[in-house]
Amino acid sequence: MIGIALQVGGCRLPYAFTLDNQANIPVRIIADLLSLLTFQSTSLAFAIIGILIITYRPANRIGWVALLFGFVSASNDFSLLYGVCAYRDDLALPAGDQVMWLTKLASPVTLISLGLFLMLFPDGQFLSSRWRRFSFTLIAAIVPLALLTLFWPGQMLHSSPNPAPEVKNPFAFSMESASSWEAVLFPLYDVLAFGFVLFGFAALFLRWR
């Protein structure tokens, strides 16, 4: 509901649909609501699936993973929306940079939970003990890199279809050679985190082939 209020108030995610500001108010409100629902539908679907599985099949671990993905994914979009609103509109929202920082925390959790969901689907079990060891090893490699990105100096929100505010990390540590290490850290994190999701799809394919 807070996200809908921010959308109607004129705030939009950097990747949200946009309309000409000259469009009449009802049309703009409907477009804003559809935009929000479009980007939140996946989070909502996973959360509902998770709740249903936890309720009727509590022994199946995939329910908790689905609920985690849905909650964190929705929190990520809300944190980004709130941060963008705080710096691009006249709402004067407090702690915009701190709230936007939460997107850096939500991103790795979202990718890891999505990968786990794919690997555990549908019975909550890994394909084999090898897959379980491989998954935990990859997670153990992702987590330290994700923690480093939380406190890495520089801009928090990078390229997007629409201009985004240049917000610096409020919890960054001081590091003179950050720019040189950044060329290694972020690509490595992206490869491991998104690779984990791809391995999840691979596990799903092997399970159902």
Side-chain angles (χ1 to χ4, degrees):
M1 294 301 296
I2 298 175
I4 292 176
L6 291 175
Q7 284 280 98
V8 174
C11 303
R12 294 177 177 84
L13 289 170
Y15 47 79
F17 309 131
T18 57
L19 281 180
D20 190 335
N21 287 332
Q22 299 302 318
N24 61 67
I25 293 179
V27 172
R28 291 176 58 190
I29 291 178
I30 293 174
D32 288 341
L33 292 176
L34 289 176
S35 175
L36 183 66
L37 291 174
T38 298
F39 291 108
Q40 292 291 307
S41 59
T42 301
S43 303
L44 180 61
F46 269 86
I48 293 175
I49 291 172
I51 292 173
L52 291 175
I53 295 176
I54 292 171
T55 302
Y56 295 101
R57 294 290 188 272
N60 193 335
R61 293 173 294 181
I62 198 173
W64 294 102
V65 176
L67 183 60
L68 175 64
F69 174 82
F71 175 77
V72 176
S73 178
S75 300
N76 179 73
D77 280 350
F78 169 74
S79 300
L80 178 58
L81 176 61
Y82 185 98
V84 170
C85 288
Y87 286 93
R88 294 182 60 185
D89 296 273
D90 299 327
L91 298 179
L93 298 175
D97 50 352
Q98 286 84 359
V99 174
M100 186 178 287
W101 178 83
L102 294 176
T103 62
K104 300 175 71 65
L105 178 62
S107 177
V109 177
T110 300
L111 293 174
I112 290 175
S113 59
L114 177 58
L116 282 176
F117 178 88
L118 295 170
M119 292 182 188
L120 295 174
F121 186 85
D123 58 0
Q125 302 294 327
F126 287 98
L127 278 174
S128 65
S129 58
R130 288 185 177 182
W131 274 92
R132 183 175 60 253
R133 290 194 297 268
F134 171 77
S135 300
F136 290 146
T137 300
L138 199 53
I139 291 174
I142 295 172
V143 169
L145 295 175
L147 291 175
L148 279 176
T149 63
L150 289 178
F151 305 100
W152 201 261
Q155 185 178 346
M156 288 194 292
L157 189 60
H158 296 282
S159 60
S160 61
N162 296 325
E166 296 185 2
V167 183
K168 301 296 182 182
N169 189 343
F171 303 110
F173 52 75
S174 178
M175 185 175 179
E176 294 181 358
S177 58
S179 57
S180 58
W181 282 100
E182 186 173 328
V184 177
L185 173 64
F186 285 94
L188 179 59
Y189 165 75
D190 289 340
V191 168
L192 292 177
F194 287 98
F196 187 75
V197 176
L198 291 178
F199 280 116
F201 280 107
L204 188 63
F205 172 78
L206 292 175
R207 191 186 295 268
W208 293 97
R209 67 177 180 175

